[in-house]
Amino acid sequence: MTRNQRSKRAIRLRMAQTGEKYTQARRAAAAAGDTSGGAGDDPGVTITWPTDSLGWFTDQAYNAILLADDEARMLGQPRVDPEHMLLAAARRGNVERLLAGAGISARAIHDAIAAIKGSGGELELRPRRSPASERVLRRAVTAAAARGVLGPSTEHLLIALGEQELPARILAELGVSSAQALVDADQELPPIRPPVDHARLERRAAQLTAHGVEPPRPGPIPPLFERFTAQARAAVNAGVTYSRRVNDRWFEPAHLLFGVLNAEAGVAAAVRARYGWDRPLAPAADPRYPEDEDMMWRRDPGNENVLAYVGSPHSRATGIFTPEARRIVAEDVIIIAERLDHGALTTGHVLLAILERYAYLTIDFIDALPPSREITAAVTGALPGEEDT
């Protein structure tokens, strides 16, 4: 593609996104650097890209890109397409705020994808990003660079996704005709700056090629989405709350088990009540400040089984899932549901997933319960159960 062809293509693309006439679009594109053959051009034209594009992105965007893998898996779809990235980006951060302002929720995007592509296909635990998704990542880099940003975030992903057929169709059906216009009109995002110098982009690409990609901080977002029942989501969230109350740094399988076994409703609660199992008492975590004489643990008034850390105003709790805890809710619970031919993911499926792989990490709670084999048989017999989808 020649420089002139790239220029005209960029102008036509802007016309489609903004509704501007050709002269208006040409002037605006020139002002933004979109017709110069540099940062604003189609991705891959002038940049020597590293093998993995993830290193370009902010932690917020990096997490959304990783979350898209889970979105595809949850929907039973074999590869990660741009629409899964749109759904992941809509979960939190800048894009969640932008779309919420336009009256669009992640649930609405999820339902649109399911209606168009279906769900529940053959389980693919490690779905790969499609070529279209890789192009979205590169386009997000150039969209950010055209706005003077070297590290693209989720709003730049949204711009790139708005240029893809299915994400654009979904957004249009939900009331957003131009993703770029939505981003440009937002007052909370940083103002557009002069485009990033092309040589600087090339240097950054070379750095990423040489040194690889660092994982995001604070860590991958756990998937806890539409396929989980309301009771299962509440149980997981209760486990996260418990991990914070006892001031544990990470969210671990033991916290997840505590949340499930203390569920007020659902399959796990019904089995617990039927067999007369007691709710497990929560052990206290190691103190963060052992030298603090005033530090103490007190029984939480909101849950008699929890000893809450109240000694210091500071906390080491992050709520970040350990790899084991994340694997339970991102993969293992789906494997069990698929094996049993169940659609919804309930508290029962979560409990089975914990016991099947990580019982050894929950010994403080397991010791107070019947043998794992007995629990597994009881829960399996109670499934699929009745929980709110």
Side-chain angles (χ1 to χ4, degrees), residues 284-366:
D286 294 334
R288 169 63 167 159
Y289 302 102
E291 71 281 358
D292 184 354
E293 295 181 357
D294 295 330
M295 185 204 68
M296 62 181 66
W297 299 86
R298 291 180 183 169
R299 196 167 297 280
D300 187 341
N303 189 327
E304 63 180 9
N305 290 330
V306 173
L307 295 175
Y309 176 81
V310 296
S312 170
H314 305 290
S315 174
R316 64 176 178 174
T318 64
I320 298 172
F321 282 46
T322 63
E324 295 83 5
R326 192 176 193 283
R327 179 170 180 172
I328 290 170
V329 297
E331 299 179 16
D332 293 344
V333 69
I334 304 177
I335 294 172
I336 288 172
E338 293 289 326
R339 189 167 67 215
L340 297 173
D341 197 24
H342 296 161
L345 304 178
T346 71
T347 55
H349 298 101
V350 177
L351 180 53
L352 290 178
I354 297 169
L355 297 178
E356 188 166 294
R357 189 184 295 273
Y358 294 115
Y360 71 96
L361 295 176
T362 59
I363 194 68
D364 290 333
F365 296 140
I366 294 297

Coordinates of all heavy atoms in Angstrom, one line a residue, residues 284-366:
A284 N -7.5 -17.1 62.2 CA -7.0 -15.8 62.0 C -5.7 -15.9 61.2 O -5.0 -16.8 61.2 CB -6.6 -15.2 63.4
A285 N -5.5 -14.8 60.4 CA -4.3 -14.7 59.6 C -3.1 -14.3 60.4 O -3.3 -13.7 61.5 CB -4.5 -13.8 58.4
D286 N -1.9 -14.5 59.9 CA -0.7 -14.0 60.5 C -0.8 -12.4 60.6 O -1.2 -11.8 59.6 CB 0.6 -14.4 59.8 CG 0.8 -15.9 59.8 OD1 0.3 -16.5 60.7 OD2 1.4 -16.4 58.8
P287 N -0.4 -11.9 61.8 CA -0.5 -10.4 61.9 C 0.5 -9.7 61.0 O 1.6 -10.1 60.7 CB -0.2 -10.2 63.4 CG 0.6 -11.3 63.8 CD 0.1 -12.5 63.0
R288 N 0.0 -8.5 60.5 CA 0.8 -7.7 59.6 C 1.9 -7.0 60.4 O 3.0 -6.8 60.0 CB -0.1 -6.7 58.9 CG 0.7 -5.6 58.1 CD 1.5 -6.2 57.0 NE 2.0 -5.1 56.1 CZ 3.0 -5.2 55.3 NH1 3.7 -6.3 55.3 NH2 3.4 -4.2 54.5
Y289 N 1.6 -6.5 61.6 CA 2.5 -5.7 62.4 C 2.6 -6.4 63.8 O 2.1 -6.0 64.8 CB 1.9 -4.3 62.6 CG 1.7 -3.6 61.3 CD1 0.4 -3.5 60.8 CD2 2.7 -3.1 60.6 CE1 0.2 -2.8 59.6 CE2 2.5 -2.4 59.4 CZ 1.2 -2.3 58.9 OH 1.0 -1.7 57.7
P290 N 3.5 -7.5 63.9 CA 3.6 -8.2 65.1 C 4.2 -7.3 66.3 O 4.0 -7.7 67.4 CB 4.5 -9.3 64.8 CG 5.3 -8.9 63.6 CD 4.3 -8.0 62.8
E291 N 4.9 -6.2 65.9 CA 5.5 -5.4 67.0 C 4.5 -4.4 67.6 O 4.8 -3.8 68.6 CB 6.7 -4.6 66.4 CG 6.3 -3.5 65.5 CD 6.0 -4.0 64.1 OE1 6.1 -5.2 63.8 OE2 5.6 -3.2 63.2
D292 N 3.3 -4.4 67.0 CA 2.3 -3.4 67.5 C 1.6 -4.0 68.7 O 0.8 -5.0 68.6 CB 1.3 -3.1 66.4 CG 0.3 -2.1 66.8 OD1 0.3 -1.7 68.0 OD2 -0.5 -1.7 65.9
E293 N 1.8 -3.5 69.9 CA 1.2 -4.1 71.1 C -0.3 -3.9 71.2 O -1.0 -4.7 71.9 CB 1.9 -3.5 72.4 CG 3.3 -3.8 72.5 CD 3.9 -3.2 73.8 OE1 3.2 -2.5 74.5 OE2 5.1 -3.4 74.0
D294 N -0.8 -2.9 70.5 CA -2.2 -2.7 70.5 C -3.0 -3.5 69.5 O -4.2 -3.5 69.4 CB -2.5 -1.2 70.2 CG -2.0 -0.3 71.4 OD1 -1.9 -0.8 72.5 OD2 -1.6 0.8 71.1
M295 N -2.3 -4.2 68.6 CA -2.9 -5.0 67.6 C -3.7 -6.1 68.2 O -3.4 -6.8 69.2 CB -1.8 -5.7 66.7 CG -2.4 -6.4 65.5 SD -1.2 -7.6 64.9 CE -1.2 -8.7 66.3
M296 N -4.9 -6.4 67.6 CA -5.7 -7.5 68.1 C -6.7 -7.9 67.0 O -6.8 -7.3 66.0 CB -6.5 -7.0 69.4 CG -7.5 -5.8 69.1 SD -8.4 -5.3 70.5 CE -7.1 -4.7 71.5
W297 N -7.3 -9.1 67.3 CA -8.3 -9.6 66.4 C -9.6 -9.6 67.2 O -9.7 -10.0 68.4 CB -8.0 -11.0 66.0 CG -6.7 -11.1 65.3 CD1 -5.4 -11.2 65.8 CD2 -6.5 -11.1 63.9 NE1 -4.5 -11.3 64.8 CE2 -5.1 -11.2 63.6 CE3 -7.4 -11.0 62.8 CZ2 -4.6 -11.2 62.4 CZ3 -6.8 -11.0 61.5 CH2 -5.5 -11.1 61.3
R298 N -10.7 -9.2 66.6 CA -12.0 -9.2 67.2 C -13.0 -9.9 66.3 O -12.9 -9.9 65.1 CB -12.5 -7.8 67.4 CG -11.7 -7.0 68.5 CD -12.2 -5.6 68.7 NE -11.4 -4.9 69.6 CZ -11.4 -3.6 69.8 NH1 -12.3 -2.9 69.1 NH2 -10.7 -3.0 70.7
R299 N -14.0 -10.5 67.0 CA -15.0 -11.2 66.2 C -15.8 -10.2 65.4 O -16.3 -9.2 65.9 CB -16.0 -12.0 67.2 CG -16.8 -13.0 66.5 CD -17.5 -13.9 67.4 NE -16.5 -14.7 68.2 CZ -15.9 -15.8 67.7 NH1 -16.1 -16.2 66.5 NH2 -15.0 -16.4 68.5
D300 N -16.0 -10.5 64.1 CA -16.7 -9.6 63.2 C -18.2 -9.6 63.5 O -18.8 -10.6 63.5 CB -16.4 -10.1 61.8 CG -16.9 -9.1 60.7 OD1 -17.8 -8.3 61.1 OD2 -16.5 -9.2 59.6
P301 N -18.7 -8.4 63.8 CA -20.2 -8.4 64.1 C -21.0 -8.8 62.9 O -22.2 -9.2 63.1 CB -20.4 -6.9 64.5 CG -19.3 -6.2 63.9 CD -18.1 -7.1 63.9
G302 N -20.5 -8.7 61.7 CA -21.2 -9.1 60.6 C -21.2 -10.6 60.3 O -22.0 -11.1 59.5
N303 N -20.3 -11.4 60.9 CA -20.2 -12.8 60.7 C -19.5 -13.4 61.9 O -18.3 -13.2 62.1 CB -19.4 -13.1 59.4 CG -19.4 -14.5 59.0 OD1 -19.5 -15.4 59.9 ND2 -19.4 -14.8 57.7
E304 N -20.2 -14.2 62.7 CA -19.7 -14.7 63.9 C -18.5 -15.6 63.8 O -17.8 -15.9 64.7 CB -20.8 -15.3 64.7 CG -21.4 -16.6 64.1 CD -22.5 -17.2 64.9 OE1 -22.9 -16.6 65.9 OE2 -22.9 -18.3 64.5
N305 N -18.4 -16.2 62.5 CA -17.3 -17.1 62.3 C -16.0 -16.5 61.8 O -15.0 -17.1 61.6 CB -17.7 -18.1 61.2 CG -18.8 -19.1 61.7 OD1 -18.8 -19.3 62.9 ND2 -19.7 -19.5 60.9
V306 N -16.0 -15.1 61.7 CA -14.8 -14.4 61.2 C -14.2 -13.6 62.4 O -14.8 -12.9 63.1 CB -15.2 -13.5 60.1 CG1 -14.0 -12.6 59.7 CG2 -15.7 -14.3 58.9
L307 N -12.9 -13.8 62.5 CA -12.1 -12.9 63.4 C -11.4 -11.8 62.5 O -10.6 -12.1 61.7 CB -11.0 -13.7 64.1 CG -11.5 -14.8 65.1 CD1 -10.4 -15.6 65.6 CD2 -12.3 -14.2 66.2
A308 N -11.8 -10.6 62.7 CA -11.4 -9.5 61.9 C -10.2 -8.8 62.5 O -10.1 -8.6 63.7 CB -12.5 -8.5 61.7
Y309 N -9.3 -8.4 61.6 CA -8.1 -7.7 62.0 C -8.4 -6.2 62.3 O -8.9 -5.5 61.4 CB -7.0 -7.8 60.9 CG -5.8 -7.1 61.1 CD1 -4.8 -7.6 61.9 CD2 -5.5 -5.8 60.5 CE1 -3.6 -6.9 62.1 CE2 -4.4 -5.1 60.7 CZ -3.4 -5.7 61.5 OH -2.2 -5.0 61.7
V310 N -8.2 -5.7 63.5 CA -8.6 -4.4 63.9 C -7.4 -3.6 64.5 O -7.6 -2.5 64.9 CB -9.8 -4.4 64.8 CG1 -11.0 -5.0 64.2 CG2 -9.4 -5.1 66.1
G311 N -6.2 -4.1 64.5 CA -5.1 -3.5 65.3 C -4.6 -2.3 64.6 O -4.4 -1.3 65.3
S312 N -4.2 -2.3 63.3 CA -3.6 -1.2 62.7 C -4.5 -0.7 61.6 O -5.2 -1.5 60.9 CB -2.3 -1.7 62.0 OG -1.8 -0.7 61.2
P313 N -4.5 0.6 61.3 CA -5.3 1.1 60.2 C -4.8 0.7 58.8 O -5.5 0.9 57.9 CB -5.2 2.7 60.4 CG -3.9 2.9 61.1 CD -3.7 1.7 62.0
H314 N -3.6 0.2 58.8 CA -3.1 -0.2 57.5 C -3.4 -1.6 57.2 O -3.8 -2.4 58.1 CB -1.5 0.0 57.5 CG -1.1 1.4 57.9 ND1 -1.3 2.4 57.0 CD2 -0.5 1.8 59.0 CE1 -0.9 3.5 57.6 NE2 -0.4 3.2 58.8
S315 N -3.4 -2.0 55.9 CA -3.8 -3.3 55.5 C -2.8 -3.9 54.5 O -2.4 -3.1 53.6 CB -5.2 -3.4 55.0 OG -5.5 -4.6 54.5
R316 N -2.6 -5.1 54.5 CA -1.8 -5.8 53.4 C -2.7 -6.5 52.4 O -2.2 -7.0 51.4 CB -0.8 -6.8 54.0 CG -1.4 -7.9 54.7 CD -0.4 -9.0 55.2 NE -1.1 -10.1 55.9 CZ -0.4 -11.1 56.3 NH1 0.9 -11.2 56.2 NH2 -1.1 -12.1 56.9
A317 N -4.0 -6.5 52.7 CA -4.9 -7.2 51.9 C -5.0 -6.6 50.5 O -5.2 -5.4 50.4 CB -6.3 -7.3 52.5
T318 N -5.0 -7.4 49.5 CA -5.1 -6.8 48.1 C -6.4 -7.3 47.4 O -6.8 -6.7 46.4 CB -3.9 -7.2 47.3 OG1 -3.8 -8.6 47.1 CG2 -2.6 -6.7 47.9
G319 N -6.9 -8.5 47.8 CA -8.0 -9.1 47.1 C -7.6 -9.7 45.7 O -8.4 -10.2 45.0
I320 N -6.3 -9.8 45.5 CA -5.8 -10.4 44.2 C -5.8 -11.9 44.3 O -5.3 -12.5 45.3 CB -4.4 -9.9 43.9 CG1 -4.4 -8.4 43.7 CG2 -3.8 -10.6 42.7 CD1 -3.0 -7.8 43.6
F321 N -6.4 -12.5 43.3 CA -6.4 -14.0 43.3 C -5.1 -14.6 43.1 O -4.3 -14.2 42.2 CB -7.4 -14.5 42.2 CG -8.8 -14.3 42.5 CD1 -9.3 -13.2 43.1 CD2 -9.7 -15.4 42.2 CE1 -10.7 -13.0 43.3 CE2 -11.1 -15.3 42.5 CZ -11.6 -14.1 43.0
T322 N -4.8 -15.7 43.9 CA -3.6 -16.5 43.6 C -3.8 -17.2 42.3 O -5.0 -17.4 41.9 CB -3.3 -17.5 44.7 OG1 -4.4 -18.4 44.8 CG2 -3.0 -16.7 46.0
P323 N -2.8 -17.8 41.6 CA -3.0 -18.6 40.4 C -4.0 -19.7 40.7 O -4.8 -20.1 39.8 CB -1.6 -19.0 40.1 CG -0.7 -18.0 40.6 CD -1.4 -17.5 41.9
E324 N -3.9 -20.3 41.9 CA -4.7 -21.5 42.2 C -6.2 -21.1 42.3 O -7.1 -21.7 41.8 CB -4.3 -22.2 43.5 CG -2.9 -22.8 43.4 CD -1.8 -21.8 43.6 OE1 -2.1 -20.6 43.9 OE2 -0.6 -22.2 43.5
A325 N -6.4 -20.0 43.0 CA -7.8 -19.5 43.2 C -8.4 -19.0 41.8 O -9.6 -19.3 41.5 CB -7.9 -18.3 44.2
R326 N -7.6 -18.4 41.0 CA -8.1 -17.9 39.7 C -8.4 -19.1 38.8 O -9.4 -19.1 38.1 CB -7.1 -17.0 39.1 CG -7.6 -16.3 37.9 CD -6.6 -15.3 37.3 NE -7.3 -14.4 36.3 CZ -7.7 -14.8 35.1 NH1 -7.4 -16.0 34.7 NH2 -8.3 -13.9 34.3
R327 N -7.5 -20.2 38.9 CA -7.8 -21.3 38.1 C -9.1 -22.0 38.4 O -9.8 -22.5 37.5 CB -6.6 -22.3 38.2 CG -6.8 -23.6 37.4 CD -5.6 -24.4 37.4 NE -5.8 -25.6 36.5 CZ -4.9 -26.5 36.2 NH1 -3.6 -26.3 36.6 NH2 -5.1 -27.6 35.5
I328 N -9.5 -22.0 39.7 CA -10.7 -22.6 40.1 C -11.9 -21.9 39.4 O -12.8 -22.6 38.8 CB -10.9 -22.5 41.6 CG1 -9.9 -23.5 42.3 CG2 -12.3 -22.9 42.0 CD1 -9.9 -23.3 43.8
V329 N -12.0 -20.6 39.5 CA -13.1 -19.9 38.9 C -13.0 -19.6 37.4 O -14.0 -19.4 36.8 CB -13.3 -18.5 39.7 CG1 -13.6 -18.8 41.1 CG2 -12.2 -17.6 39.5
A330 N -11.8 -19.7 36.9 CA -11.7 -19.4 35.4 C -11.7 -20.7 34.6 O -12.1 -20.7 33.4 CB -10.3 -18.7 35.2
E331 N -11.3 -21.9 35.2 CA -11.2 -23.1 34.4 C -11.8 -24.3 35.0 O -12.7 -24.9 34.4 CB -9.7 -23.4 34.1 CG -9.0 -22.3 33.3 CD -7.5 -22.6 33.1 OE1 -7.1 -23.8 33.3 OE2 -6.7 -21.7 32.8
D332 N -11.4 -24.6 36.2 CA -11.9 -25.9 36.8 C -13.4 -26.0 37.0 O -14.0 -27.1 36.8 CB -11.2 -26.1 38.2 CG -9.7 -26.3 38.1 OD1 -9.2 -26.6 37.0 OD2 -9.0 -26.1 39.1
V333 N -14.0 -24.9 37.4 CA -15.5 -24.9 37.6 C -16.2 -25.2 36.3 O -17.2 -25.9 36.2 CB -15.9 -23.6 38.3 CG1 -15.8 -22.5 37.3 CG2 -17.4 -23.8 38.8
I334 N -15.6 -24.7 35.1 CA -16.2 -24.9 33.8 C -16.0 -26.4 33.4 O -16.9 -27.0 32.8 CB -15.6 -24.0 32.8 CG1 -15.7 -22.5 33.2 CG2 -16.2 -24.2 31.4 CD1 -15.1 -21.5 32.3
I335 N -14.8 -26.9 33.7 CA -14.5 -28.3 33.4 C -15.5 -29.2 34.0 O -16.1 -30.2 33.4 CB -13.1 -28.7 33.8 CG1 -12.1 -27.9 33.0 CG2 -12.9 -30.2 33.7 CD1 -10.6 -28.1 33.5
I336 N -15.8 -29.0 35.3 CA -16.8 -29.8 36.1 C -18.2 -29.7 35.5 O -18.9 -30.6 35.3 CB -16.7 -29.4 37.5 CG1 -15.4 -29.9 38.2 CG2 -17.9 -30.0 38.3 CD1 -15.2 -29.5 39.6
A337 N -18.6 -28.4 35.2 CA -19.9 -28.2 34.6 C -20.1 -28.9 33.3 O -21.1 -29.5 33.0 CB -20.2 -26.7 34.5
E338 N -19.0 -28.8 32.4 CA -19.0 -29.5 31.1 C -19.1 -31.0 31.3 O -19.8 -31.7 30.6 CB -17.8 -29.1 30.3 CG -17.7 -27.6 29.9 CD -18.8 -27.3 28.8 OE1 -19.0 -28.2 28.0 OE2 -19.3 -26.2 28.9
R339 N -18.4 -31.5 32.3 CA -18.4 -33.0 32.5 C -19.8 -33.5 32.9 O -20.2 -34.6 32.6 CB -17.4 -33.3 33.6 CG -17.1 -34.8 33.8 CD -15.9 -35.0 34.6 NE -16.1 -34.5 36.0 CZ -15.1 -33.9 36.7 NH1 -13.9 -33.7 36.2 NH2 -15.4 -33.6 38.0
L340 N -20.5 -32.6 33.7 CA -21.8 -33.0 34.2 C -22.9 -32.5 33.2 O -24.1 -32.7 33.5 CB -22.0 -32.4 35.6 CG -21.1 -32.9 36.7 CD1 -21.3 -32.1 38.0 CD2 -21.3 -34.4 36.9
D341 N -22.5 -31.9 32.1 CA -23.5 -31.4 31.1 C -24.4 -30.3 31.8 O -25.6 -30.3 31.5 CB -24.3 -32.5 30.5 CG -24.9 -32.1 29.2 OD1 -24.4 -31.1 28.6 OD2 -26.0 -32.7 28.8
H342 N -23.8 -29.4 32.5 CA -24.6 -28.3 33.2 C -24.2 -27.0 32.5 O -23.0 -26.8 32.2 CB -24.3 -28.3 34.7 CG -24.8 -29.5 35.4 ND1 -24.3 -29.9 36.7 CD2 -25.7 -30.5 35.0 CE1 -24.9 -31.0 37.0 NE2 -25.7 -31.4 36.1
G343 N -25.2 -26.1 32.4 CA -24.9 -24.8 31.8 C -24.4 -23.8 32.9 O -23.3 -23.2 32.8
A344 N -25.3 -23.5 33.9 CA -24.9 -22.5 34.9 C -23.9 -23.1 35.8 O -23.8 -24.3 36.1 CB -26.2 -22.2 35.7
L345 N -23.1 -22.1 36.4 CA -22.1 -22.4 37.3 C -22.6 -22.0 38.7 O -22.7 -20.9 39.0 CB -20.8 -21.7 37.0 CG -20.2 -21.9 35.6 CD1 -19.0 -21.1 35.3 CD2 -19.9 -23.4 35.3
T346 N -22.8 -23.0 39.6 CA -23.4 -22.8 40.9 C -22.4 -22.9 42.0 O -21.2 -23.2 41.8 CB -24.5 -23.8 41.1 OG1 -23.9 -25.1 41.4 CG2 -25.5 -23.9 39.9
T347 N -22.9 -22.7 43.2 CA -22.0 -22.9 44.4 C -21.5 -24.3 44.5 O -20.5 -24.6 45.0 CB -22.7 -22.5 45.7 OG1 -24.0 -23.2 45.8 CG2 -23.0 -21.0 45.7
G348 N -22.4 -25.2 44.0 CA -22.0 -26.6 44.1 C -20.8 -26.9 43.1 O -19.9 -27.7 43.5
H349 N -20.8 -26.4 41.9 CA -19.7 -26.6 41.0 C -18.4 -26.0 41.6 O -17.4 -26.5 41.4 CB -20.0 -26.0 39.7 CG -21.2 -26.6 39.0 ND1 -22.5 -26.0 39.0 CD2 -21.4 -27.7 38.3 CE1 -23.3 -26.8 38.3 NE2 -22.7 -27.8 37.9
V350 N -18.6 -24.8 42.2 CA -17.4 -24.1 42.8 C -16.8 -25.0 43.9 O -15.6 -25.2 44.0 CB -17.7 -22.7 43.3 CG1 -16.5 -22.1 44.0 CG2 -18.2 -21.8 42.2
L351 N -17.7 -25.5 44.7 CA -17.2 -26.4 45.8 C -16.5 -27.7 45.3 O -15.5 -28.1 45.8 CB -18.4 -26.8 46.7 CG -18.1 -27.7 47.9 CD1 -17.0 -27.1 48.8 CD2 -19.4 -27.9 48.7
L352 N -17.1 -28.3 44.3 CA -16.5 -29.5 43.7 C -15.1 -29.1 43.1 O -14.1 -29.9 43.2 CB -17.4 -30.1 42.6 CG -18.7 -30.7 43.1 CD1 -19.5 -31.2 41.9 CD2 -18.4 -31.9 44.0
A353 N -15.0 -28.0 42.5 CA -13.7 -27.6 41.8 C -12.6 -27.4 42.9 O -11.5 -27.8 42.7 CB -13.9 -26.3 41.0
I354 N -13.0 -26.8 44.0 CA -12.0 -26.6 45.1 C -11.6 -28.0 45.6 O -10.3 -28.2 45.8 CB -12.6 -25.8 46.3 CG1 -13.0 -24.4 45.8 CG2 -11.7 -25.7 47.4 CD1 -13.9 -23.7 46.8
L355 N -12.5 -28.9 45.9 CA -12.2 -30.2 46.5 C -11.4 -31.0 45.5 O -10.5 -31.8 46.0 CB -13.4 -30.9 47.0 CG -14.2 -30.2 48.1 CD1 -15.5 -31.0 48.4 CD2 -13.4 -30.0 49.3
E356 N -11.7 -30.9 44.3 CA -11.1 -31.8 43.3 C -9.6 -31.6 43.1 O -8.8 -32.5 42.9 CB -11.8 -31.7 41.9 CG -11.4 -32.7 40.9 CD -12.4 -32.8 39.8 OE1 -13.5 -33.2 40.0 OE2 -11.9 -32.5 38.6
R357 N -9.2 -30.3 43.2 CA -7.8 -30.0 42.8 C -7.0 -29.4 44.0 O -5.8 -29.7 44.2 CB -7.7 -29.0 41.7 CG -6.3 -28.9 41.2 CD -6.3 -27.8 40.1 NE -7.0 -28.2 38.9 CZ -6.5 -28.9 37.9 NH1 -5.2 -29.3 38.0 NH2 -7.2 -29.2 36.8
Y358 N -7.7 -28.7 44.9 CA -7.0 -27.9 45.9 C -7.4 -28.1 47.3 O -7.3 -27.2 48.2 CB -7.1 -26.4 45.6 CG -6.4 -26.0 44.3 CD1 -7.2 -25.5 43.2 CD2 -5.0 -26.1 44.1 CE1 -6.5 -25.2 42.0 CE2 -4.4 -25.8 42.9 CZ -5.2 -25.3 41.9 OH -4.5 -25.0 40.7
A359 N -7.9 -29.3 47.6 CA -8.3 -29.6 49.0 C -7.1 -29.5 49.9 O -7.3 -29.0 51.1 CB -8.9 -31.0 49.1
Y360 N -5.9 -29.8 49.5 CA -4.7 -29.7 50.3 C -4.4 -28.2 50.7 O -3.7 -28.0 51.7 CB -3.5 -30.3 49.6 CG -3.0 -29.5 48.5 CD1 -1.9 -28.6 48.6 CD2 -3.5 -29.6 47.2 CE1 -1.4 -27.9 47.6 CE2 -3.0 -28.9 46.1 CZ -2.0 -28.1 46.3 OH -1.5 -27.3 45.3
L361 N -4.9 -27.3 50.0 CA -4.7 -25.9 50.3 C -5.8 -25.3 51.3 O -5.8 -24.1 51.7 CB -4.7 -25.0 49.1 CG -3.5 -25.3 48.1 CD1 -3.6 -24.4 46.9 CD2 -2.2 -25.0 48.8
T362 N -6.8 -26.1 51.6 CA -7.9 -25.7 52.4 C -8.0 -26.5 53.7 O -9.1 -26.7 54.2 CB -9.2 -25.7 51.7 OG1 -9.5 -27.1 51.2 CG2 -9.1 -24.8 50.4
I363 N -6.9 -27.1 54.2 CA -6.9 -28.1 55.2 C -7.6 -27.6 56.5 O -8.2 -28.3 57.2 CB -5.5 -28.6 55.5 CG1 -5.5 -29.9 56.3 CG2 -4.6 -27.5 56.1 CD1 -6.1 -31.0 55.6
D364 N -7.4 -26.3 56.8 CA -8.0 -25.7 58.0 C -9.5 -25.9 58.1 O -10.1 -26.0 59.1 CB -7.6 -24.2 58.2 CG -6.1 -24.0 58.5 OD1 -5.5 -25.0 59.1 OD2 -5.6 -23.0 58.1
F365 N -10.1 -25.8 56.9 CA -11.6 -25.9 56.8 C -12.0 -27.4 56.6 O -13.0 -27.8 57.2 CB -12.2 -25.0 55.7 CG -12.0 -23.6 55.9 CD1 -11.6 -22.7 54.9 CD2 -12.1 -23.0 57.2 CE1 -11.4 -21.4 55.1 CE2 -11.9 -21.6 57.4 CZ -11.6 -20.8 56.3
I366 N -11.3 -28.1 55.8 CA -11.6 -29.4 55.4 C -11.6 -30.3 56.6 O -12.4 -31.2 56.8 CB -10.7 -30.0 54.3 CG1 -10.9 -29.2 53.0 CG2 -10.9 -31.4 54.1 CD1 -12.3 -29.3 52.4

